[in-house]
Amino acid sequence: MLTSTTPDPALAPGLWDELVRLVRGGDVCVLTGAGISTESGIPAYRGADGERRVTPMTVSELLRSPAARQRYWARAYTGWPRFAAAEPNDGHRAVARLQDLGLVGTVITQNVDGLHQQAGARDVTELHGSLSYVVCADCGERYAREVVDEWLAGANPHFDREISGQVRPDGDVVLTDEQVAGFRIAACVVCRSDRLKPDVVMFGESVVRPVVDACFEAVDRSRALLVLGSSLMVMSGYRFARHAAREGIPVAAITHGVTRADDLIDVKVDAPLGPTLRRLVEAVAA
Ligand SMILES: [Zn+2]
């Protein structure tokens, strides 16, 4: 593996040239993680050491316990305006630009923030779903998040959602038990169940098979896999790097810190995503 830990890729010309050559060759499949959205103000789940910083709520906890649902939705309601206000950064724009240049095909993202699409990317597969939707666990009805947000606002006219605290990658803000107490959760208007969940793959859930298979096919159609801002610590993303390596498809990565797939990656640049991707676009377009 070629590795650069320098923030300035130009200081490692051999490595940089190899990355440019791979992307310029076209038919690149891109796989992105939380690292591409940190410059938009959405923090990553893990530090550069690969350790998890926060423990997400499991789906079974959410669906089993009314108290867990109250906690989840109070936090999510507080975090939503901040999460929804996040805007694409240079990294997202660069990925869309690489598609415009005809070099990148499918974008597989582990993120639930919709920022690739906001930046103009097409053919985006949201591996872990989208926080823009909410589903009823009992009847399967699907709602736009804005609609559920209005229900929650109506049910909680005195709740202070300006509470300070940083939004987390899953879109919520940590609150104390006192802050959560009294929060009223919303119910599905079709079946009246209050077992509403975000339309994302929560901790304890798996990505559905048709989505996984479509991603494997996208990798198979590609001449290279470019991993952006992911430590690949969870199998949902790691398996695509492993699959590419097995099939002899080169794997490149721009990310911070260690990844689970370091031994599978052919070219790795450890550098900030936005500036590095902007420079990559300039280099391949030249
Ligand atoms: Zn329902």
Side-chain angles (χ1 to χ4, degrees):
M1 177 180 69
L2 296 166
T3 303
S4 165
T5 53
T6 165
D8 183 355
L11 296 176
L15 175 83
W16 182 247
D17 292 348
E18 181 62 14
L19 180 64
V20 171
R21 191 189 64 76
L22 271 181
V23 175
R24 198 181 267 149
D27 289 330
V28 176
C29 179
V30 165
L31 170 62
T32 73
I36 199 167
S37 290
T38 54
E39 289 166 41
S40 294
I42 300 172
Y45 279 106
R46 295 169 194 276
D49 54 3
E51 291 299 314
R52 188 184 284 280
R53 288 172 176 155
V54 293
T55 307
M57 186 180 290
T58 64
V59 67
S60 57
E61 197 182 352
L62 179 76
L63 296 183
R64 192 179 59 221
S65 154
R69 284 197 289 285
Q70 181 190 43
R71 188 166 79 248
Y72 176 85
W73 283 110
R75 290 175 170 199
Y77 177 69
T78 306
W80 176 247
R82 299 166 223 200
F83 193 85
E87 292 185 354
N89 64 55
D90 282 350
H92 301 107
R93 282 188 284 273
V95 170
R97 181 81 183 111
L98 289 173
Q99 284 188 324
D100 290 343
L101 291 168
L103 301 177
V104 164
T106 300
V107 176
I108 303 167
T109 186
Q110 299 172 301
N111 300 339
V112 294
D113 54 35
L115 293 179
H116 280 299
Q117 297 93 321
Q118 271 192 52
R122 306 163 303 275
D123 191 7
V124 178
T125 296
E126 295 176 304
L127 207 51
H128 295 163
S130 167
L131 270 188
S132 298
Y133 295 92
V134 173
V135 285
C136 172
D138 287 304
C139 76
E141 187 71 17
R142 195 163 178 260
Y143 300 99
R145 177 61 178 267
E146 286 81 6
V147 171
V148 174
D149 192 68
E150 284 173 17
W151 297 345
L152 292 170
N156 297 278
H158 304 300
F159 187 84
D160 175 17
R161 76 194 301 194
E162 303 302 317
I163 296 165
S164 65
Q166 193 184 29
V167 67
R168 305 199 307 174
D170 36 9
D172 61 7
V173 168
V174 176
L175 302 177
T176 64
D177 290 349
E178 292 73 40
Q179 288 166 330
V180 168
F183 188 82
R184 295 181 59 204
I185 55 179
C188 172
V189 295
V190 174
C191 76
R192 303 311 303 167
S193 165
D194 72 357
R195 300 201 317 147
L196 299 179
K197 72 178 281 290
D199 196 10
V200 298
V201 176
M202 292 184 70
F203 206 52
E205 287 185 292
S206 301
V207 182
V208 295
R209 197 67 222 178
V211 173
V212 176
D213 288 343
C215 292
F216 277 128
E217 285 165 21
V219 173
D220 284 336
R221 285 193 304 270
S222 305
R223 284 164 36 127
L225 176 65
L226 177 60
V227 179
L228 302 174
S230 175
S231 59
L232 300 175
M233 287 298 172
V234 290
M235 180 55 82
S236 72
Y238 173 76
R239 57 187 155 194
F240 302 119
R242 190 180 60 186
H243 179 76
R246 277 185 187 155
E247 298 295 315
I249 297 167
V251 181
I254 306 172
T255 194
H256 262 316
V258 296
T259 83
R260 179 179 174 183
D262 278 1
D263 59 332
L264 306 175
I265 295 172
D266 300 286
V267 182
K268 182 179 168 191
V269 175
D270 188 335
L273 274 284
T276 307
L277 279 167
R278 204 171 54 223
R279 191 185 303 208
L280 180 64
V281 168
E282 288 166 9
V284 298

